Amino acid sequence: MKTVLVIGGGITGLSAMYELHKWKKSNQANIRLILIEAESELGGKIRSVHESGFVMEAGADSMVARKIENMSFIDELGLEQEVVYNSTGISFIYTEGNLKPIPADSVFGIPASIESLAKSTLISAEGKVAALKDFYTKNESFTVNDSVGSFLEHFLGKELVEKQIAPVLSGVYSGKLSDLTIASTLPYLVEYKEQYGSIIKGLEANRQKFKGGERKFLSFKNGLGTLIEAFEKVLEDVEILKNTKVTKIKKGNSHYQIDLQNGETVEVDHVILSIPHTAAEKLIDDPELEKGFSGFKNSSLISVYVGYDVPDSILPADGTGFITANTDELSCNACTWTSRKWEHTSKSGNLLVRLFYKSSHPAFAQLKDMNNEELLQVALGDIHKSLGINVEPIVSEVTNWSEQMPNYLIGHPKSVEALENKFATKYPGILLAGCSYYGVGIPDCIENGIASAKKISQML
Ligand code: FAD
């Protein structure tokens, strides 16, 4: 009897196991399925916390709906009635002591009409005049391989980019605009400039496309943890070992030997390695792999939820959160008004907010070594300064994802391919999977988990 082991019970590992389990049933296959998870709970970067009528997420809070709706697992798991969608509203930029709305008719902060530019409260009259250069200047040198920051600044001016576009775009693509290429962010802008003579006009002419592509997000009434519980429940024919860390993988003549921290060993034929690359690289002693793993990097993120015994109507009407423009004003990069954006997260309609602290922020150097209580105090300071709220919270939840956020470098696909090839030749039957390599979004992880399971089932 063949044994398939999935290491890591995050969403990638669970969806891989879900697919293998389905395959086993429909083929009445005589295989042993084992899932090993180091922590006491499955879910990895998905974990919902329930307290005082609030739902808080330690990690991810939602999934891009368009991608999930094309998959079949919500129906298969019987979760249709549990699904909830986000409310949309105005996002603000916090700048110079004020919350200013990101103009409605804009794409990543780039005006999609002259009215949108004219009405912006984020930039000065001079900044608006400078942006008009976009209408009368031709693109003579920029290609998609140039920096998106220089391209936008050249045509739309420094002020518009710094005060309105960069806060949004840097947040979405996690990096300085000067370090990001047009190709890796908004490749169509060069085409628009060519075709319409202006970036703004190009966005205006393609408005429908952006409206249609408006990002709608999906979660569950009791939080994303519902998905993890549902997967776990259906995996009845799988040996699930929690609180069990894999410490080494050794290649034998016909099997792989898996060493566990509790001193036990398991012999298996196939392995899906759905753990972060930092954990995977410790499992096999092989200098060649070490080199392969060195092409991957992580960054850090701290999330702080704060819930109050105060109705969330105290915040500006229709608002759903803000992004910070100037790093010397607040320590956080962004603040989501969670109870506004996600009705299910606050049973009483009381205010729940979530602040994000990223390693790209200069203040992060001090934050990264703070304990949870100190981090909460920083968050309360930011909330007081930006939202004017200075009452005692009734709940809080701090999560420090230190060096655990995959950061795809230029050349990432090549690094993945090189590592895959090394595994295929030296360690056949072991597959890499998950957020370190194949996309960080939950739908990408699910797709990758399923694809990995299908590859394994073809080998069985
Ligand atoms: P993980 O969730 O990291 O799972 C890996 C598992 O392996 C863990 O459970 C770990 O304990 C286990 N493990 C590690 N080493 C070992 C070992 N040696 N032995 C056994 N087990 C081991 N994505 C979205 O789509 N939408 C969002 O809104 C969103 N927001 C996010 C917010 C935050 C704060 C974070 C941290 C992430 C967010 N993401 C979001 C990204 C998404 O949550 C992750 O990319 C995804 O959940 C990763 O799943 P995974 O299974 O690949 O890895």
Side-chain angles (χ1 to χ4, degrees), residues 8 10-12 37-38 44-45 59-62 246 275 405 434-435 440-442:
I11 193 64
T12 308
E37 166 56 47
K45 298 191 179 87
D61 74 356
S62 58
V246 173
I275 53 181
M405 307 294 288
C435 61
V440 294
I442 295 169

Side-chain angles (χ1 to χ4, degrees), residues 90-125:
I90 303 167
S91 285
F92 294 86
I93 290 181
Y94 181 79
T95 180
E96 290 155 7
N98 290 302
L99 289 175
K100 297 185 177 175
I102 300 172
D105 199 9
S106 61
V107 177
F108 297 112
I110 310 170
S113 67
I114 188 115
E115 294 77 27
S116 170
L117 173 66
K119 284 187 187 154
S120 173
T121 53
L122 283 158
I123 55 166
S124 67

Side-chain angles (χ1 to χ4, degrees), residues 382-409:
D382 279 349
I383 292 170
H384 185 202
K385 202 165 171 189
S386 57
L387 304 176
I389 298 169
N390 196 19
V391 291
E392 272 298 300
I394 51 169
V395 292
S396 64
E397 174 74 23
V398 179
T399 327
N400 192 341
W401 295 101
S402 175
E403 291 298 318
Q404 288 192 69
M405 307 294 288
N407 216 342
Y408 293 1
L409 305 172

Side-chain angles (χ1 to χ4, degrees), residues 190-304:
V190 174
E191 229 171 84
Y192 289 174
K193 185 71 191 161
E194 218 63 50
Q195 197 179 343
Y196 302 93
S198 140
I199 299 167
I200 297 177
K201 275 193 194 161
L203 290 174
E204 186 167 26
N206 289 278
R207 190 180 269 153
Q208 234 17 60
K209 195 161 116 191
F210 295 105
K211 281 233 165 79
E214 214 171 74
R215 295 181 110 199
K216 209 172 151 193
F217 296 91
L218 177 160
S219 183
F220 303 100
K221 280 178 200 160
N222 284 313
L224 274 189
T226 299
L227 186 58
I228 304 301
E229 286 161 22
F231 270 131
E232 186 173 1
K233 211 162 140 197
V234 295
L235 297 179
E236 55 199 15
D237 205 4
V238 176
E239 295 165 48
I240 300 181
L241 311 179
K242 298 184 208 173
N243 262 325
T244 308
K245 191 173 177 184
V246 173
T247 50
K248 276 286 173 261
I249 300 179
K250 293 172 190 154
K251 194 176 171 187
N253 289 335
S254 59
H255 288 93
Y256 288 105
Q257 182 187 313
I258 311 297
D259 294 352
L260 309 178
Q261 203 170 32
N262 60 15
E264 291 175 19
T265 60
V266 199
E267 286 208 335
V268 306
D269 300 276
H270 300 278
V271 181
I272 295 182
L273 219 44
S274 46
I275 53 181
H277 84 270
T278 42
E281 66 188 353
K282 293 187 191 127
L283 297 187
I284 308 177
D285 293 325
D286 183 334
E288 251 190 74
L289 288 187
E290 225 169 86
K291 223 170 111 201
F293 278 116
S294 67
F296 301 94
K297 293 276 168 295
N298 282 348
S299 60
S300 303
L301 183 137
I302 295 167
S303 144
V304 184

